[in-house]
Amino acid sequence: MRLLVCGGAGFIGSNFVRARIEGHGDEVVVLDKLTYAGRRENLQDVAEAPGFRLLHGAIEDREAVARALGDAEAIVNFAAETHVDRSITEPDAFVQTNWLGTHVLLEAARERGMRYVHISTDEVYGSIDDGSFTESSPLAPSSPYAATKAGADLLVSSYVHTYDLPASICRGSNNYGPYQYPEKLIPLMVLSALHGEPLPVYGDGLQVRNWLYVTDFASAIGHVLDHGVRGEVYNVGGPDECPNLEVVERIVELTGADPALIEHIRDRPGHDRRYSLSSEKVRGLGWEPQVRLQQGIEQTVAWYRDSPWWWEPIRSGEYRQYYERHYGRALSAD
Ligand code: NAD
Ligand code: DAU
């Protein structure tokens, strides 16, 4: 298949691109704005694959999208601003990329009658105390990030209903694994633990997430691309739920860090308490998750431990300023 993968230089996108090139022999063009989260290094091991190209450009730029499309048969869109905490302090880029950018891609797909697979999140449903969200649960996003993702999902659905666009939506739960930018819980805690730095847990740390190893999400997206019914939404949840504090404790144990590094700091405003997805529908396409949480955390800790080439440039760049801005006062105030 010839694919245009938008946002393919980010965490999940790069894992997906690798899986499609190595497992399916697809020809992939990546269009990526290369924000702080998008990195050429994430794709360096597929850079020489036949047909592979990484184009620097934004999905909200119609001309860049038209140039990137070439003779692609399908668009898979990962491009987004993705960090909930940043959406609370700086929401503008979230509206621009997640909502307006999706609209530009939908228009390009509509003009060409193309297959379009949209990558979305369980956060569009909001928080759930008991049970699990299905694809027909109402959308009730809490954060600006989640609201822009829900808005994009509604736009995609409107193009399916109005123009018969052959689009599908994949809503994933919390991903973790190699190449994840260390602003997110698991890589932040792994790198901080390896460096003997504080481990900042929001509030009581009893918020629950439904953890999905990134290669499992990549394979679910592949199943939807290859076998998904046009117009349908597919939830993709991980095999295990776990409170944040327990995730951090497991990382402390695996890294040999001092448990006294764990610091409870002020909670995230509007923090969703629990996410949980029913994945029955995507399992009906033949998908099953392969990696349980304990094995996935062990693999993730090992990858970060062995990959200073990847995280050293990050920790000395924009990330350091973000970290000081976001955590500096909270940690020193304790
Ligand atoms: P990420 O932040 O690691 O990567 C996002 C990528 O998009 C980066 O390469 C970035 O440069 C690129 N990008 C940002 N703005 C762009 C623009 N305007 N034009 C082109 N490229 C742009 O994110 P991720 O964690 O890999 O998430 C990928 C997708 O999956 C997102 O749509 C996200 O909402 C969704 N998702 C993420 C998770 C998770 O746990 N990380 C779970 C479910 C769904
Ligand atoms: O659920 C899917 C979503 O998962 C994706 O759509 C988002 O793009 C992705 O960022 C992620 O959102 P979360 O807000 O759940 O992930 P994050 O890693 O930021 O936080 C996970 C949990 O850990 C959450 O309850 C907040 C908590 N947390 C996070 C950080 C960064 C802490 O306690 N301390 C921290 O320093």
Side-chain angles (χ1 to χ4, degrees):
M1 226 183 186
R2 292 183 303 277
L3 300 176
L4 173 62
V5 179
C6 301
F11 163 51
I12 305 173
S14 62
N15 277 285
F16 174 78
V17 168
R18 191 171 298 105
R20 292 303 296 196
I21 290 176
E22 290 172 357
H24 297 255
D26 287 348
E27 286 186 18
V28 177
V29 173
V30 168
L31 176 66
D32 199 294
K33 193 175 173 183
L34 299 175
T35 66
Y36 72 92
R39 308 185 69 222
R40 290 183 189 276
E41 296 90 316
N42 293 358
L43 291 164
Q44 69 183 26
D45 50 353
V46 292
E48 303 301 323
F52 176 81
R53 278 187 306 149
L54 168 54
L55 305 179
H56 183 194
I59 56 168
E60 61 272 27
D61 177 346
R62 283 170 198 268
E63 285 166 19
V65 170
R67 275 196 303 275
L69 265 170
D71 61 354
E73 295 159 278
I75 301 174
V76 185
N77 180 29
F78 295 87
E81 288 292 334
T82 60
H83 194 36
V84 172
D85 292 325
R86 292 189 198 242
S87 85
I88 293 169
T89 49
E90 299 152 75
D92 293 19
F94 288 75
V95 176
Q96 177 159 329
T97 292
N98 301 2
W99 201 62
L100 296 176
T102 297
H103 179 239
V104 170
L105 293 179
L106 286 170
E107 277 296 291
R110 177 168 80 90
E111 277 166 24
R112 295 163 179 79
M114 278 177 79
R115 179 97 174 97
Y116 176 84
V117 176
H118 188 74
I119 310 309
S120 184
T121 169
D122 58 1
E123 298 202 13
V124 298
Y125 298 116
S127 193
I128 188 165
D129 291 337
D130 302 298
S132 302
F133 290 119
T134 69
E135 290 78 359
S136 51
S137 300
L139 303 192
S142 306
S143 68
Y145 161 70
T148 58
K149 294 296 290 184
D153 284 14
L154 292 175
L155 264 183
V156 176
S157 298
S158 79
Y159 272 61
V160 169
H161 292 294
T162 310
Y163 307 114
D164 212 15
L165 188 79
S168 309
I169 297 174
C170 297
R171 293 186 180 138
S173 61
N174 279 68
N175 277 232
Y176 67 107
Y179 303 97
Q180 186 169 32
Y181 195 81
E183 64 192 349
K184 307 282 167 42
L185 180 78
I186 289 184
L188 173 89
M189 294 299 172
V190 171
L191 287 185
S192 298
L194 290 175
H195 288 85
E197 294 169 356
L199 306 174
V201 171
Y202 296 160
D204 60 11
L206 300 182
Q207 306 85 359
V208 172
R209 295 293 182 263
N210 184 186
W211 293 101
L212 175 62
Y213 197 67
V214 64
T215 50
D216 280 336
F217 193 31
S219 87
I221 294 164
H223 274 74
V224 171
L225 174 67
D226 295 334
H227 312 295
V229 177
R230 272 66 171 156
E232 293 290 316
V233 176
Y234 293 90
N235 286 347
V236 185
D240 296 294
E241 293 182 16
C242 190
N244 296 335
L245 192 56
E246 191 185 319
V247 169
V248 177
E249 284 164 354
R250 291 191 196 198
I251 291 169
V252 164
E253 201 179 315
L254 286 167
T255 53
D258 181 350
L261 291 172
I262 297 177
E263 271 190 45
H264 290 264
I265 62 170
R266 66 168 180 268
D267 209 350
R268 172 186 280 174
H271 199 169
D272 283 335
R273 198 70 182 159
R274 175 172 172 264
Y275 298 140
S276 178
L277 287 181
S278 160
S279 307
E280 230 175 283
K281 191 167 163 184
V282 73
R283 282 175 186 265
L285 299 178
W287 174 81
E288 287 221 34
Q290 304 296 318
V291 183
R292 300 293 304 266
L293 182 61
Q294 184 59 25
Q295 181 196 343
I297 296 187
E298 286 170 17
Q299 288 174 192
T300 304
V301 168
W303 187 84
Y304 281 90
R305 201 195 289 276
D306 295 344
S307 307
W309 66 271
W310 186 84
W311 50 256
E312 268 170 1
I314 293 180
R315 277 176 54 92
S316 58
E318 187 271 356
Y319 175 73
R320 186 48 54 196
Q321 290 153 23
Y322 167 76
Y323 186 91
E324 291 304 328
R325 232 176 25 245
H326 185 67
Y327 295 102
R329 214 174 320 139
L331 288 169
S332 56
D334 272 7

